[in-house]
Amino acid sequence: MELNEAIRQIKDKGYKTTAKRKDILMFFAEANGYRTAKDLIAYLESLYEGISFDTVYRNLHLFHEVGVLETTELNGEKHFRFSCTPYHHHHFICNDCGKTKELEICPMEEVQRSLGNYAIQDHKFEIYGLCPACQ
């Protein structure tokens, strides 16, 4: 997803695109991979003195809800990134730098076969390790 598309998507859902929201989106547009709320706050503090944690978290969750940001959990902490594609996919995530690589496979067909008559409602599949640059 690119910045202008994210802004349009937020407007289409009936939300305002304030300067702070645009700066939050810019942060993720420039990031290559998942970032934490702490990373975002450090970035925003240089632009907005005394920015509140509530403002940051409220916007992160709003952007996730409207589909602009994807989320994952790494080391017990929620991480966010721009939604990269509108179709079903999974990622390799670097434990060191947070960069991601989209995977072209989904193991769910195999899982559904092995679970037989279980009703699967959702799934999440991620692989963690070190990217070539961080090895």
Side-chain angles (χ1 to χ4, degrees):
M1 179 171 294
E2 66 162 35
L3 180 62
N4 291 331
E5 183 182 342
I7 290 170
R8 182 192 49 75
Q9 192 167 333
I10 290 165
K11 285 181 179 178
D12 288 351
K13 297 285 185 174
Y15 296 100
K16 294 179 182 175
T17 51
T18 63
K20 283 180 187 170
R21 285 183 174 168
K22 287 180 183 177
D23 286 333
I24 291 170
L25 294 171
M26 180 65 74
F27 173 78
F28 286 103
E30 293 174 352
N32 182 9
Y34 285 96
R35 297 293 177 260
T36 66
K38 291 177 192 174
D39 296 331
L40 176 59
I41 289 167
Y43 169 77
L44 291 174
E45 283 178 336
S46 66
L47 303 172
Y48 302 97
E49 188 175 324
I51 187 151
S52 80
F53 288 98
D54 284 347
T55 297
V56 170
Y57 283 101
R58 190 172 49 254
N59 281 291
L60 285 172
H61 291 286
L62 169 69
F63 293 165
H64 177 253
E65 186 180 301
V66 299
V68 171
L69 294 179
E70 295 178 355
T71 184
T72 192
E73 194 166 310
L74 296 168
N75 302 320
E77 186 175 15
K78 199 167 251 196
H79 287 61
F80 301 86
R81 67 168 272 144
F82 254 156
S83 294
C84 54
T85 59
Y87 54 85
H88 180 79
H89 64 283
H90 302 286
H91 292 114
F92 170 89
I93 303 169
C94 181
N95 284 325
D96 195 28
C97 70
K99 288 183 182 174
T100 62
K101 177 169 177 44
E102 188 176 319
L103 303 175
E104 297 178 11
I105 59 166
C106 177
M108 285 309 294
E109 196 171 301
E110 176 76 22
V111 170
Q112 286 174 330
R113 272 197 304 274
S114 69
L115 289 176
N117 62 351
Y118 287 78
I120 298 169
Q121 296 177 329
D122 198 6
H123 74 281
K124 186 174 192 173
F125 179 71
E126 296 171 335
I127 298 176
Y128 304 94
L130 297 175
C131 70
C134 292
Q135 291 180 34

